[in-house]
Short mmCIF file of all heavy atoms in Angstrom, two decimals:
data_model
loop_
_atom_site.label_atom_id
_atom_site.label_comp_id
_atom_site.label_asym_id
_atom_site.label_seq_id
_atom_site.Cartn_x
_atom_site.Cartn_y
_atom_site.Cartn_z
N LEU B 68 -169.69 -139.64 -21.52
CA LEU B 68 -168.85 -140.88 -21.49
C LEU B 68 -167.51 -140.66 -22.10
O LEU B 68 -166.48 -141.17 -21.59
CB LEU B 68 -169.62 -141.98 -22.25
CG LEU B 68 -169.13 -143.42 -22.03
CD1 LEU B 68 -169.15 -143.83 -20.58
CD2 LEU B 68 -169.99 -144.45 -22.82
N ALA B 69 -167.46 -139.84 -23.15
CA ALA B 69 -166.17 -139.51 -23.78
C ALA B 69 -165.30 -138.80 -22.80
O ALA B 69 -164.08 -139.09 -22.72
CB ALA B 69 -166.42 -138.66 -25.03
N GLU B 70 -165.88 -137.87 -22.02
CA GLU B 70 -165.11 -137.13 -20.98
C GLU B 70 -164.50 -138.12 -19.95
O GLU B 70 -163.39 -137.98 -19.53
CB GLU B 70 -166.03 -136.15 -20.22
CG GLU B 70 -166.40 -134.91 -21.02
CD GLU B 70 -165.28 -133.86 -21.06
OE1 GLU B 70 -164.20 -134.12 -20.47
OE2 GLU B 70 -165.46 -132.81 -21.70
N GLU B 71 -165.33 -139.12 -19.64
CA GLU B 71 -164.90 -140.13 -18.64
C GLU B 71 -163.65 -140.86 -19.19
O GLU B 71 -162.68 -141.07 -18.43
CB GLU B 71 -166.03 -141.13 -18.41
CG GLU B 71 -165.86 -141.90 -17.14
CD GLU B 71 -166.97 -142.95 -16.99
OE1 GLU B 71 -168.15 -142.60 -17.18
OE2 GLU B 71 -166.64 -144.12 -16.67
N VAL B 72 -163.70 -141.18 -20.49
CA VAL B 72 -162.53 -141.89 -21.13
C VAL B 72 -161.29 -140.99 -21.03
O VAL B 72 -160.20 -141.42 -20.67
CB VAL B 72 -162.86 -142.26 -22.58
CG1 VAL B 72 -161.58 -142.79 -23.28
CG2 VAL B 72 -163.96 -143.27 -22.66
N ILE B 73 -161.53 -139.71 -21.34
CA ILE B 73 -160.42 -138.72 -21.31
C ILE B 73 -159.78 -138.63 -19.91
O ILE B 73 -158.57 -138.65 -19.76
CB ILE B 73 -160.89 -137.36 -21.87
CG1 ILE B 73 -161.09 -137.51 -23.37
CG2 ILE B 73 -159.89 -136.24 -21.57
CD1 ILE B 73 -161.85 -136.39 -24.03
N HIS B 74 -160.64 -138.62 -18.91
CA HIS B 74 -160.13 -138.50 -17.55
C HIS B 74 -159.41 -139.79 -17.13
O HIS B 74 -158.38 -139.72 -16.41
CB HIS B 74 -161.25 -138.19 -16.54
CG HIS B 74 -161.74 -136.76 -16.64
ND1 HIS B 74 -160.85 -135.70 -16.58
CD2 HIS B 74 -162.96 -136.25 -16.88
CE1 HIS B 74 -161.54 -134.57 -16.73
NE2 HIS B 74 -162.81 -134.88 -16.96
N THR B 75 -159.95 -140.91 -17.53
CA THR B 75 -159.34 -142.21 -17.14
C THR B 75 -157.98 -142.41 -17.75
O THR B 75 -157.15 -143.26 -17.29
CB THR B 75 -160.30 -143.37 -17.47
OG1 THR B 75 -161.59 -143.04 -17.00
CG2 THR B 75 -159.88 -144.67 -16.81
N GLU B 76 -157.69 -141.66 -18.81
CA GLU B 76 -156.37 -141.75 -19.48
C GLU B 76 -155.27 -141.55 -18.45
O GLU B 76 -154.18 -142.14 -18.54
CB GLU B 76 -156.31 -140.78 -20.64
CG GLU B 76 -154.95 -140.57 -21.27
CD GLU B 76 -154.42 -141.77 -22.04
OE1 GLU B 76 -155.13 -142.77 -22.14
OE2 GLU B 76 -153.28 -141.71 -22.51
N ASN B 77 -155.49 -140.69 -17.44
CA ASN B 77 -154.50 -140.47 -16.42
C ASN B 77 -154.13 -141.73 -15.66
O ASN B 77 -153.02 -142.01 -15.29
CB ASN B 77 -154.99 -139.42 -15.40
CG ASN B 77 -155.02 -138.04 -16.01
OD1 ASN B 77 -154.30 -137.82 -16.99
ND2 ASN B 77 -155.85 -137.19 -15.45
N ARG B 78 -155.19 -142.55 -15.43
CA ARG B 78 -154.99 -143.80 -14.69
C ARG B 78 -154.11 -144.75 -15.57
O ARG B 78 -153.31 -145.49 -15.04
CB ARG B 78 -156.33 -144.44 -14.37
CG ARG B 78 -156.90 -143.94 -13.04
CD ARG B 78 -158.11 -144.74 -12.66
NE ARG B 78 -157.85 -146.13 -12.45
CZ ARG B 78 -158.74 -147.11 -12.58
NH1 ARG B 78 -160.03 -146.81 -12.88
NH2 ARG B 78 -158.46 -148.35 -12.36
N VAL B 79 -154.43 -144.74 -16.87
CA VAL B 79 -153.66 -145.61 -17.78
C VAL B 79 -152.17 -145.22 -17.73
O VAL B 79 -151.28 -146.06 -17.59
CB VAL B 79 -154.21 -145.50 -19.25
CG1 VAL B 79 -153.35 -146.33 -20.19
CG2 VAL B 79 -155.64 -145.94 -19.30
N ASN B 80 -151.96 -143.89 -17.78
CA ASN B 80 -150.57 -143.41 -17.79
C ASN B 80 -149.87 -143.74 -16.46
O ASN B 80 -148.71 -144.13 -16.43
CB ASN B 80 -150.53 -141.89 -18.01
CG ASN B 80 -150.92 -141.59 -19.44
OD1 ASN B 80 -150.91 -142.44 -20.33
ND2 ASN B 80 -151.31 -140.33 -19.69
N ALA B 81 -150.61 -143.59 -15.37
CA ALA B 81 -150.03 -143.85 -14.03
C ALA B 81 -149.67 -145.33 -13.92
O ALA B 81 -148.61 -145.70 -13.45
CB ALA B 81 -150.97 -143.50 -12.95
N LEU B 82 -150.56 -146.23 -14.42
CA LEU B 82 -150.29 -147.66 -14.35
C LEU B 82 -149.13 -148.02 -15.24
O LEU B 82 -148.30 -148.89 -14.89
CB LEU B 82 -151.58 -148.45 -14.72
CG LEU B 82 -151.53 -149.94 -14.51
CD1 LEU B 82 -151.17 -150.33 -13.08
CD2 LEU B 82 -152.86 -150.58 -14.85
N ASP B 83 -149.05 -147.37 -16.39
CA ASP B 83 -147.93 -147.60 -17.28
C ASP B 83 -146.62 -147.29 -16.59
O ASP B 83 -145.66 -148.11 -16.64
CB ASP B 83 -148.09 -146.69 -18.51
CG ASP B 83 -146.88 -146.58 -19.40
OD1 ASP B 83 -146.32 -147.66 -19.71
OD2 ASP B 83 -146.49 -145.48 -19.80
N LEU B 84 -146.56 -146.16 -15.91
CA LEU B 84 -145.31 -145.77 -15.18
C LEU B 84 -145.01 -146.80 -14.03
O LEU B 84 -143.87 -147.17 -13.83
CB LEU B 84 -145.49 -144.38 -14.60
CG LEU B 84 -145.52 -143.23 -15.59
CD1 LEU B 84 -145.76 -141.92 -14.91
CD2 LEU B 84 -144.18 -143.15 -16.38
N LYS B 85 -146.09 -147.24 -13.37
CA LYS B 85 -145.88 -148.15 -12.24
C LYS B 85 -145.29 -149.47 -12.74
O LYS B 85 -144.33 -150.00 -12.17
CB LYS B 85 -147.24 -148.40 -11.55
CG LYS B 85 -147.12 -149.38 -10.41
CD LYS B 85 -148.48 -149.87 -9.97
CE LYS B 85 -148.44 -150.89 -8.87
NZ LYS B 85 -147.68 -152.10 -9.05
N ILE B 86 -145.86 -149.98 -13.85
CA ILE B 86 -145.36 -151.29 -14.38
C ILE B 86 -143.90 -151.13 -14.85
O ILE B 86 -143.10 -152.00 -14.56
CB ILE B 86 -146.27 -151.77 -15.54
CG1 ILE B 86 -147.66 -152.16 -14.94
CG2 ILE B 86 -145.68 -152.95 -16.25
CD1 ILE B 86 -148.72 -152.52 -15.95
#
Side-chain angles (χ1 to χ4, degrees):
Chain B
L68 194 56
E70 285 282 0
E71 199 184 314
V72 173
I73 288 167
H74 288 305
T75 312
E76 170 68 2
N77 289 338
R78 273 187 62 204
V79 176
N80 291 341
L82 189 54
D83 168 47
L84 291 175
K85 179 194 177 305
I86 291 173

